[in-house]
Amino acid sequence: MEKIYGYVRVSTKEQNEDRQLLALREFPIESENIWMDKISGKDFNRPSYRKMMKHLGKGDLLVVKSIDRLGRNYKEILEQWRIITKEKQADIVVLDMPLLDTRQGKDLMGAFISDLVLQLLSFVAENERRNIRQRQQEGIAAAKQKGIQFGRPKKDVPKQFYILREQWERGEISSRLAAQRLSVSYQTFLRWVRT
């Protein structure tokens, strides 16, 4: 085996990656060979993942804590698995699922079982992503029904706006100058004009 790489992913900057890092270091993987992204798993357009894939080569090993840390898109997980194991001829180990260890069972039966488990777990990962999005949408809808406002609070229109609007309508000043005098963006000024 050439090199051992680890990949860690959390969906947001607020999430903690320590659990994954600890598992990879116990494998053991050297810290400089662990790649991490703090980004959604909806696709594989991730900076550290792409850099890691450039380093990954024949005989190397990629280790992830669980399949959903690799990604949450069923088709793309299967495609990346194919690229890693077939095109790059590297191996993959999923620590939480010992059946997903391409170093084992290189025969037809081993490959069949590994592919079957991979497809099942990839489906579960994408399904969980869909459930998360649905719960999020339901939570937003429930909050809106309760009158909770999202986004920035609306700015009150200052009294000086009406004078500046008249000057703007007469062509005496630009929307940008009017906005500057009101200490707002010109888009805000124009939105106030339209309402």
Side-chain angles (χ1 to χ4, degrees), residues 110-124:
F112 171 73
I113 290 171
S114 180
D115 288 350
L116 191 62
V117 171
L118 172 65
Q119 288 191 26
L120 178 65
L121 292 176
S122 299
F123 168 79
V124 169

Side-chain angles (χ1 to χ4, degrees), residues 7-11 20 39-46 49 64 66-78 80-81 94 118 121-129:
Y7 181 70
V8 172
R9 185 190 63 77
V10 290
S11 297
Q20 294 176 67
I39 194 168
S40 168
K42 67 180 180 175
D43 60 38
F44 284 86
N45 189 22
R46 303 178 219 139
Y49 183 82
V64 294
S66 59
I67 197 71
D68 65 335
R69 298 303 85 205
L70 188 61
R72 288 197 180 268
N73 181 304
Y74 176 75
K75 288 180 182 175
E76 289 192 25
I77 291 171
L78 297 178
Q80 289 300 309
W81 192 276
V94 179
L118 172 65
L121 292 176
S122 299
F123 168 79
V124 169
E126 180 168 339
N127 197 47
E128 178 59 17
R129 179 174 166 259

Side-chain angles (χ1 to χ4, degrees), residues 121-150:
L121 292 176
S122 299
F123 168 79
V124 169
E126 180 168 339
N127 197 47
E128 178 59 17
R129 179 174 166 259
R130 288 180 182 176
N131 289 339
I132 289 168
R133 283 185 33 226
Q134 181 179 348
R135 288 191 298 264
Q136 188 178 39
Q137 289 170 350
E138 289 169 354
I140 290 169
K144 285 182 177 180
Q145 282 182 343
K146 290 180 180 179
I148 295 173
Q149 298 289 318
F150 290 90

Side-chain angles (χ1 to χ4, degrees), residues 6-11 15-27 29 34-37 63-70 95-96:
Y7 181 70
V8 172
R9 185 190 63 77
V10 290
S11 297
Q15 286 181 327
N16 192 318
E17 65 278 356
D18 291 346
R19 178 181 64 89
Q20 294 176 67
L21 288 170
L22 183 64
L24 293 179
R25 287 183 184 129
E26 285 177 2
F27 186 77
I29 301 172
I34 296 176
W35 300 83
M36 180 171 44
D37 283 307
V63 182
V64 294
K65 173 82 168 108
S66 59
I67 197 71
D68 65 335
R69 298 303 85 205
L70 188 61
L95 296 175
D96 287 354

Side-chain angles (χ1 to χ4, degrees), residues 13 15 33 41 44 50 61 80 88 103 106 150 158-159 170 187 190:
K13 289 184 167 98
Q15 286 181 327
N33 289 337
F44 284 86
R50 290 196 326 244
L61 175 65
Q80 289 300 309
K88 292 190 170 280
R103 299 172 303 170
K106 296 271 186 186
F150 290 90
K159 292 177 184 174
R170 290 192 301 264
Q187 293 99 333
L190 293 174

